[in-house]
Amino acid sequence: MRVAVTTPTGNVGRHVVAMLVRAGVRPRVLLREPARLDPALRGQVDAFQVDQYDADAVVAATKGVDVLFWVDPPSGSPDPLADYASATSSVVRAVTDNHIGRVVFQSSVGAEKRHGAGEIDGLANTEVALDALGIDVTHLRCGYFFTNLELQLPALRAGLLQVNLPLDFPMAWVAPRDIAEVATTRLLSSEWSGRCVRAVHGPADLTWRQVAAILTAATCRQIDVEEISDDAMRGLLRQAGMADGQVEAVLAMSTGLREDFVPEQPRTVESTTPTALGGWVYDHLRRQIADLD
Ligand SMILES: NC(=O)c1ccc[n+]([C@@H]2O[C@H](COP(=O)([O-])OP(=O)(O)OC[C@H]3O[C@@H](n4cnc5c(N)ncnc54)[C@H](OP(=O)(O)O)[C@@H]3O)[C@@H](O)[C@H]2O)c1
């Protein structure tokens, strides 16, 4: 079975590659810069230099592949949904031209809404496009990644997170490594077929108030959280250098899911994964915050 992995240096992809290698598989990895691969894994994979927005390159790199782990790369452009559409075209071309029969796709809670959730609409479009191909496909509807906190290091150091969600609004928070474990087991298993949706929810739904308490305990420094208005958040995102299109695509991921949204997949034993936020913060974030002192 030939397995290909996209974003092999990314938050989830890096763990997928390592898990496949531990399972005795030599994965094909698609990445822009092979030098960024973990040196310990370089001899264990076949690396193809690919920009995922270049459909021809993705098709060439996935010739002969049986199973594909596909991640739409995070967009840094002023038009994120155009980037997601471009990534969708690439995966559709690869699957069609190379007759790839099985795909595991990294999607998000909220993709079931299809419209009105900003960047998540881009993932919804990829889901719909993959569904139309009639292949075996698993959409992993993931919760909010712990690693998103790494994008907030200055605020964490200052001891104040600002969010445009009610502080008692619960969300599924998940470790990317746990997502990789679900992805890898799906990639290696032949026990499923057709269209499947699997939620990956982490161990617990957490409110921002609970997250602040966990951060405080795990870092031994007071970290508070404050609810700000959507307009204030717009201002912060613009100050951080985002173009208007990016600002709205980021903002709508909260505004689109905070009212009248009931996830299609409830939390179950299958969607609940083990890694707790407190231990992850202690291991991964505590020193990064302290290093900024
Ligand atoms: N963050 C969340 O809470 C969350 C939740 C659910 C779903 N998602 C979805 O998960 C995906 C991103 O996950 P993430 O934020 O954790 O990021 P990530 O997987 O860490 O993504 C960064 C990786 O993407 C690679 N990359 C970027 N642009 C590329 C391109 N044009 N071609 C090839 N590789 C490219 C980067 O490689 P280089 O080394 O070349 O830069 C890096 O390895 C998005 O589709 C997002 O919508 C995120």
Side-chain angles (χ1 to χ4, degrees), residues 103-287:
V103 174
V104 175
F105 172 54
Q106 179 173 302
S107 187
S108 176
V109 168
E112 62 268 51
K113 201 173 164 188
R114 300 306 195 214
H115 300 288
E119 286 198 25
I120 296 171
D121 294 357
L123 300 173
N125 288 338
T126 308
E127 284 195 11
V128 170
L130 288 170
D131 290 346
L133 301 177
I135 55 170
D136 296 331
V137 61
T138 293
H139 304 301
L140 299 178
R141 297 238 176 103
C142 307
Y144 190 78
F145 295 3
F146 292 175
T147 40
N148 293 338
L149 288 168
E150 289 172 339
L151 307 173
Q152 304 252 36
L153 285 177
L156 288 167
R157 193 206 168 251
L160 182 63
L161 289 169
Q162 293 177 305
V163 298
N164 63 320
L165 284 171
L167 300 187
D168 291 315
F169 180 82
M171 295 191 308
W173 281 70
V174 62
R177 190 202 166 281
D178 288 4
I179 299 168
E181 194 172 270
V182 178
T184 307
T185 52
R186 299 298 279 185
L187 290 167
L188 295 180
S189 168
S190 55
E191 295 297 311
W192 60 275
S193 60
R195 174 186 185 267
C196 307
V197 178
R198 291 292 298 267
V200 193
H201 284 148
D205 291 351
L206 298 172
T207 67
W208 275 101
R209 216 186 285 285
Q210 289 170 316
V211 168
I214 290 168
L215 285 163
T216 298
T219 61
C220 295
R221 53 204 298 157
Q222 185 64 39
I223 297 179
D224 296 316
V225 64
E226 168 187 56
E227 182 180 356
I228 59 172
S229 70
D230 294 343
D231 270 345
M233 182 57 81
R234 267 191 194 92
L236 286 182
L237 295 174
R238 282 198 194 109
Q239 251 176 40
M242 287 191 191
D244 285 350
Q246 280 175 294
V247 169
E248 294 311 318
V250 168
L251 207 70
M253 288 195 278
S254 338
T255 58
L257 300 183
R258 77 185 166 197
E259 282 140 30
D260 302 329
F261 168 67
V262 179
E264 191 175 79
Q265 284 71 41
R267 176 177 289 280
T268 63
V269 70
E270 286 174 333
S271 76
T272 299
T273 56
T275 305
L277 181 62
W280 184 89
V281 169
Y282 187 86
D283 288 344
H284 296 278
L285 219 51
R286 187 178 48 105
R287 223 168 287 126

Side-chain angles (χ1 to χ4, degrees), residues 11-25:
N11 286 318
V12 176
R14 77 176 68 171
H15 294 292
V16 172
V17 172
M19 287 172 192
L20 287 170
V21 166
R22 289 201 289 276
V25 172

Side-chain angles (χ1 to χ4, degrees), residues 7 9-11 32 36 51-52 72-74 84 106-107 145 148:
T7 65
T9 59
N11 286 318
R32 292 189 295 193
R36 293 206 191 126
D51 185 315
Q52 286 179 247
D72 286 344
Y84 280 94
Q106 179 173 302
S107 187
F145 295 3
N148 293 338

